[in-house]
Amino acid sequence: MERSPVAVVIVTYQSEQVIAGCLDSLPDDVRVIVVDNASTDGTVASATRPGVEVLRSPVNAGFAAGVNLGIKAAEGHDVLVLNADIRLHPGAIATLRAADRPIVVPRLVDESGALAHSLRRRPRAAGAFAEALIGGG
């Protein structure tokens, strides 16, 4: 069975200083959707480039609402959600896809290469579903 193409969804708010680095780290073979939550700095201008779809929300409805807008726009794609300050290493998306699981969490490292913890617990599909319905985290 052929796999769906990948869309990267990046939610921004006042991210002018970091969005270009994130976009520069993405491979050319992914669809890129930036959902801007009503930034008043130069975020939109920094994100506006060939191959990047910028969706502008008129209000800052929050990260989750931005992710939902991006996922809706990425219909038919597997979705990778990134914060604007993330930089992907070459081959990161292929490594994540090779896990062949519905939810995958990458290994995060800081600028020095040290492990950067971002979760209190390992994600599970049931937990993600429950959080989507009732909130939490």
Side-chain angles (χ1 to χ4, degrees):
M1 184 168 140
E2 191 170 319
R3 296 187 80 160
S4 298
V6 174
V8 175
V9 172
I10 306 164
V11 178
T12 58
Y13 177 71
Q14 308 295 70
S15 302
E16 177 182 14
Q17 300 300 316
V18 294
I19 188 61
C22 181
L23 295 173
D24 290 343
S25 76
L26 300 178
D28 294 332
D29 63 343
V30 298
R31 182 176 176 190
V32 180
I33 302 168
V34 173
V35 180
D36 185 71
N37 273 331
S39 294
T40 58
D41 65 355
T43 299
V44 171
S46 294
T48 301
R49 53 173 72 183
V52 176
E53 299 169 53
V54 178
L55 306 178
R56 297 181 76 171
S57 176
V59 297
N60 183 356
F63 183 77
V67 169
N68 288 337
L69 285 172
I71 289 173
K72 183 177 180 182
E75 185 175 342
H77 291 71
D78 290 339
V79 176
L80 173 62
V81 177
L82 297 178
N83 288 340
D85 61 347
I86 292 292
R87 307 295 179 264
L88 291 181
H89 286 276
I93 293 176
T95 300
L96 291 169
R97 291 190 76 158
D100 199 29
R101 300 183 71 161
I103 298 174
V104 181
V105 179
R107 181 176 190 265
L108 300 177
V109 296
D110 64 19
E111 295 84 12
S112 71
L115 183 62
H117 296 283
S118 67
L119 296 173
R120 294 185 304 269
R121 63 190 177 278
R122 187 178 190 143
R124 296 177 304 119
F129 181 72
E131 286 181 15
L133 289 177
I134 61 172

